[in-house]
Amino acid sequence: MTDATRCLLLAVEIFGWYSNAVSRWENYQKCNVSPDSIINRACHNATYGQPVHSTHPHLISPDEVLAGISLKEVKHRRQAFLHALRDYAALQNGAATNHIVIIPSANKKYMSHKIPYVFRQNTDFLYLSGCQEPDSVLVLEVDANSNCRNTLFVRPKDKTAEMWDGPRTGVQFAPDVYGVEESFDINLLKDYLTKYGIAKPNALYWYDEKASDLANVSKIIRDVTNNQTKSPIELIQSLRLIKSESECVLMRKTCEIASKAINKTLENSFPGISEHEIYANVDYYTRINGANFLAYPPVVAGGSNATIIHYINNNQIVKGGDLILMDAGCEYHGYTSDITRTWPVDGKFSEPHRVLYEVLLQVQRELLDCLQFQGGETLDQLFDTMCSKIGKYLQEIKLIPSSLSALELSRAAYKFCPHHVSHYLGMDVHDTPLISRNIRLCPGMVCTVEPGIYIPTHKSDIPREFRGVGLRIEDDVLIKPGKEIEILTKECVKDTTLVENL
């Protein structure tokens, strides 16, 4: 059988005519129909499990596998990861060996019988595969000679399932779409791993069952490896921590969309508005400007609700004279923003609220200024600096006694802001959580800067006019070379006068 015949049979299989493929080939020969015309027709009618350039040219450029991310970049990520893993293991074990890494996708999750939540991919899997489909597995291999191999296991084409849940890329198209050497039916994963183990009995297996949604895959790994696996997640996250230029472009966009949406939401708030309506507004303004969805359930807290740090009920009416604290961000093609703003619902800060807000704004500005410098070279250092500065300024307005030592002052300040001042940001809101916040900040990292002041209504040692108030100001920051920073959320208003003008 010639190569042209094989290609034609593949095209025929795509059309669902496989059982009669050979006889149809003879008919095409008799009719003088060229193989190229049939193959082109097959590709034109092909369906995929995610946007590609041929189906979504408004989202995906010809060289991209994800919006804004080229296939070349994803292939480079895989190679960089395998080389890093090989080098790390060689340092640990003292010798080069064979490695196989199994990275599962997410699965669909359901709110009730047959009613799924919006699917969100496992970000470690997405980062290395570019694949947005559930129930898939990426297998990466590197041998003692540094030869790398990438294999993707995906759901096969299934007309009935696709009628209900949408198209699948399938085994045939996966190598071209995702840039892997080979792809197989997900049901062949166990056979593949078993054969690999026989061929390379001394290989190290890398898999993290705790990070997996796919129970069937976890069982396969346990059976094949006898539970002898290492977790690759921290190594993957160490690569994800430093953003490429393409990722920085996406981070700028998600922050721009969220900033403008929060400004618009702030502008359209008024006494008597419900927290729910504010939530609906920010959701609307992010989506209408290109976001896929909100990055997390937002905090929309009026009045004393803002003293509950993770308040997400969002079901109260905001009364005149109250402050609104809103913590919201959006996801734009896999990258997230995370912003908090606090503003007076009736457009004018009361004097006690203005005092606290100006204190917090000053603290946040000074924290931004010291990023990458003394007191801000790591996120943990930045937290210590925040406690010191909040304590100092609250002493000045007499909410903290002036007689405290430096350590006592920081402890007193922590009671007013009992959360960390920063976390890494990227594909996830609390991105790369396995990476320590005590490492030096480097160009390409993105982090938040989010000091807060929270004074519960029952805090009787504080003057009454300051009680029942919660404030937080949060921006997203890209660390740049030369000890510079780029405030990605700079368009979101926070200056007192600008807030009141809006």
Side-chain angles (χ1 to χ4, degrees), residues 17 21 30 43 67 122 150 185 187 242 287-288 298 303 310 312 330 342 344 359 362 371 379 400 485 500:
W17 301 337
K30 292 175 185 177
C43 291
N122 172 349
N150 310 307
D185 184 328
N187 297 304
I242 306 299
R287 288 177 189 256
I288 203 172
H310 285 161
I312 57 170
C330 62
T342 308
V359 162
Q362 183 63 25
L371 276 173
L379 299 187
I400 289 180
I485 64 170
E500 291 184 331

Side-chain angles (χ1 to χ4, degrees), residues 64-188:
E64 292 177 346
V65 63
L66 300 167
I69 303 293
S70 69
L71 181 57
K72 181 180 179 182
E73 179 167 332
V74 172
K75 292 168 73 172
H76 173 74
R77 291 171 179 175
R78 292 196 283 259
Q79 186 177 43
F81 166 67
L82 285 174
H83 288 170
L85 178 123
R86 173 205 61 197
D87 295 344
Y88 170 79
L91 283 174
Q92 298 292 312
N93 303 324
T97 187
N98 300 305
H99 301 271
I100 183 166
V101 188
I102 302 100
I103 305 170
S105 74
N107 63 2
K108 275 187 157 183
K109 297 175 176 61
Y110 293 83
M111 63 177 71
S112 65
H113 184 59
K114 294 185 179 180
I115 307 299
Y117 287 104
V118 172
F119 177 71
R120 188 174 190 274
Q121 188 59 280
N122 172 349
T123 43
D124 291 324
F125 174 84
L126 183 63
Y127 180 80
L128 289 171
S129 71
C131 177
Q132 295 178 304
E133 296 190 48
D135 303 315
S136 306
V137 173
L138 178 66
V139 174
L140 304 176
E141 302 165 44
V142 60
D143 66 19
N145 297 316
S146 299
N147 297 308
C148 300
R149 181 175 180 79
N150 310 307
T151 308
L152 193 60
F153 291 80
V154 297
R155 302 169 303 170
K157 288 281 190 180
D158 182 325
K159 284 185 177 180
T160 301
E162 291 180 70
M163 179 180 70
W164 285 94
D165 298 322
R168 301 174 176 183
T169 300
V171 174
Q172 297 93 337
F173 291 126
D176 286 337
V177 173
Y178 305 116
V180 294
E181 280 81 13
E182 241 181 331
S183 65
F184 294 104
D185 184 328
I186 185 66
N187 297 304
L188 299 178

Side-chain angles (χ1 to χ4, degrees), residues 362-379:
Q362 183 63 25
V363 169
Q364 204 235 13
R365 285 172 173 158
E366 291 180 15
L367 293 175
L368 289 168
D369 287 343
C370 78
L371 276 173
Q372 300 193 81
F373 295 94
Q374 185 177 2
E377 292 175 313
T378 72
L379 299 187

